[in-house]
Amino acid sequence: MCQLLGMNCNTPTDIVFSFEGFRQRAGITDCHSDGFGIAFFEGKGVRVFRDDKPCSSSPIADCVKQYHIKSLNVIAHIRKATFGAVNLENTHPFIREIWGENWVFAHNGNLTTLPDISQCRAQPIGTTDSETAFCYMAEKLKQKYHRKLSENEIFDSVYEISQELSQLGTFNFILSNGEFMIAHCSTNLHYITRKAPFGKAFRVDDNEVIDFNDYAKPDDRVTIITTFPITKNETWTKMEHGGFVLFKNGIKIREILGIKKDIEDDGTLGNRTY
Amino acid sequence: MCQLLGMNCNTPTDIVFSFEGFRQRAGITDCHSDGFGIAFFEGKGVRVFRDDKPCSSSPIADCVKQYHIKSLNVIAHIRKATFGAVNLENTHPFIREIWGENWVFAHNGNLTTLPDISQCRAQPIGTTDSETAFCYMAEKLKQKYHRKLSENEIFDSVYEISQELSQLGTFNFILSNGEFMIAHCSTNLHYITRKAPFGKAFRVDDNEVIDFNDYAKPDDRVTIITTFPITKNETWTKMEHGGFVLFKNGIKIREILGIKKDIEDDGTLGNRTY
């Protein structure tokens, strides 16, 4: 299993506070140590940093910390390999061009059956179930629709494909095209939207504190989406089984509610005491 | 215009000596300051560092210098924008998945006419002529051949597409799928293959010296391909107009010779005194 971290904002924002907590789960506070990746949208372009080393100690992750890159949409992933070897091509997030845009995808969960991609032009480069599922999704979108859909049509189409892929196993994912961010929950996915009045937040993994008043402006809206909450004194929304949300400009725009289920320990929890 | 740098080896090799000379042409010894990118293959995976800042002073390029990443195939590009704004999505190299592989492409030159990609599924994300040409190439390969071709078939097919695109303007490029590297010359492209006995090399841009004996093993083969030679005391081969070469495991495997032409100053030379 793995853990996911996403950020969607209305103003370019630095993800370092969240990322520095998150990366500790890759070898220090948890066991998701089989590589990592983080993608920052900048306009239509994407900066990607990835490594097959544990994110907690990777010099590439140190580089991310050092540069405080600001972005409207960021997706990060720390991996605990269950399907596919530990190597660079199996690190998330995966990226494909769809309708002249970078689409960035990270997945948590195992698909027990793989979708049939034998007739797809989009093919996985690595050997994960996750990349195979993303190729299936990209193919479905590009094959059926030759030009970019409206935001509502994308929401409906991606939801439909997600429902289909969810039949094959656990399918928590975060997806972005740089304009918006979609989150789908099978088992564990939480989000929080921060806006004025801002306060202090304490990280779960090391108790580090930040006062967002020192950084945010009154109109800032920042949503963080993650497998398990990054901070311990804030109220995070736990998504429901089958829940599907579209965030844009830092806030929730559309949502399909799922079904309340007890937390399934799908291995994602690892050895965390939280 | 822009400048290109490629490396193809038979053993994972560090490109820092060449890259540190090359990046000076992005603001110090030359004017290719409108962003840069460098892609390192690692297995089927790719690490990419890119920035819209001048490569000579970019902290992302400092990061590349710091980590001494070793790879069999590397492609780098420093940009002088002539077609498309200065932003991240217009930085080379461009990457597309073809037949379940990362294909990495960097271009130098201007296409005065763009190929027709209106019916292509592969669409550019940025606004450069270069990415449009690469999308055309990727589409031709994927559309015509549903499964990966043999190396010889790829050589012939890419050559055919290159001939077609060369009719549209200046089309110097380097292309790799992580197994081999293809170079096509319209105006300026040079290469050198280093093997035992190794010696010293002096960089053109700052006179820095390296003794390859301190790093190389007797069986090492390393080919460097670049717009203008990186070192001044070695014998570089200048490719001919229309020349097309495939390198693998550090050496030239197949070649189609071009036509000898006087160097055209297509703007690539910039203000270099060399």
Side-chain angles (χ1 to χ4, degrees), chain A residues 17 199-203 206-212 215 233:
Chain A
F17 176 76
K200 285 186 179 179
F202 295 81
R203 284 202 302 235
D206 61 358
N207 223 17
E208 195 70 30
V209 62
I210 191 170
D211 187 341
F212 292 115
Y215 302 94
N233 65 314

Side-chain angles (χ1 to χ4, degrees), chain B residues 155-175:
Chain B
F155 182 88
D156 294 337
S157 301
V158 174
Y159 180 68
E160 190 182 318
I161 300 165
S162 303
Q163 289 291 95
E164 193 183 335
L165 289 167
S166 294
Q167 307 301 312
L168 308 180
T170 308
F171 199 52
N172 303 294
F173 74 79
I174 305 177
L175 173 73

Side-chain angles (χ1 to χ4, degrees), chain A residues 42 44-45 47-48 50-52 59 63 67 88-89 97 100 102 118 121-125 139 142 147, chain B residues 42 44-45 47-48 50-52 59 63 67 88-89 97 100 102 118 121-125 139 142 147:
Chain A
E42 194 170 311
K44 293 182 74 179
R47 284 180 205 275
V48 192
R50 53 178 89 240
D51 206 348
D52 53 0
C63 185
Y67 296 136
L88 204 64
E89 61 262 34
E97 174 268 307
N102 280 304
S118 58
R121 267 181 54 173
Q123 289 290 318
I125 293 165
E139 182 73 17
K142 287 189 96 167
R147 290 291 169 267
Chain B
E42 195 171 309
K44 294 181 74 180
R47 284 181 205 275
V48 192
R50 54 177 89 240
D51 207 347
D52 53 359
C63 184
Y67 297 135
L88 204 64
E89 61 262 36
E97 174 267 308
N102 279 304
S118 58
R121 267 182 53 172
Q123 288 291 317
I125 293 165
E139 181 74 16
K142 287 190 98 168
R147 289 291 170 265

Side-chain angles (χ1 to χ4, degrees), chain B residues 6-108:
Chain B
M7 181 176 74
N8 170 267
C9 325
N10 70 342
T11 188
T13 302
D14 172 350
I15 200 176
V16 165
F17 176 75
S18 297
F19 183 67
E20 284 298 299
F22 182 68
R23 69 184 279 214
Q24 299 196 35
R25 300 172 186 184
I28 298 173
T29 59
D30 209 339
C31 57
H32 307 280
S33 308
D34 297 328
F36 85 100
I38 183 165
F40 299 83
F41 273 96
E42 195 171 309
K44 294 181 74 180
V46 182
R47 284 181 205 275
V48 192
F49 300 86
R50 54 177 89 240
D51 207 347
D52 53 359
K53 310 289 180 301
C55 188
S56 60
S57 55
S58 161
I60 303 290
D62 291 341
C63 184
V64 171
K65 177 185 176 184
Q66 193 178 337
Y67 297 135
H68 289 274
I69 298 161
K70 292 188 175 187
S71 173
L72 295 177
N73 287 285
V74 182
I75 292 181
H77 181 275
I78 48 175
R79 184 165 183 236
K80 184 183 172 191
T82 51
F83 203 116
V86 177
N87 57 34
L88 204 64
E89 61 262 36
N90 284 340
T91 57
H92 308 222
F94 301 104
I95 304 177
R96 288 292 187 284
E97 174 267 308
I98 303 179
W99 305 317
E101 295 178 338
N102 279 304
W103 281 53
V104 175
F105 171 89
H107 169 228
N108 152 242

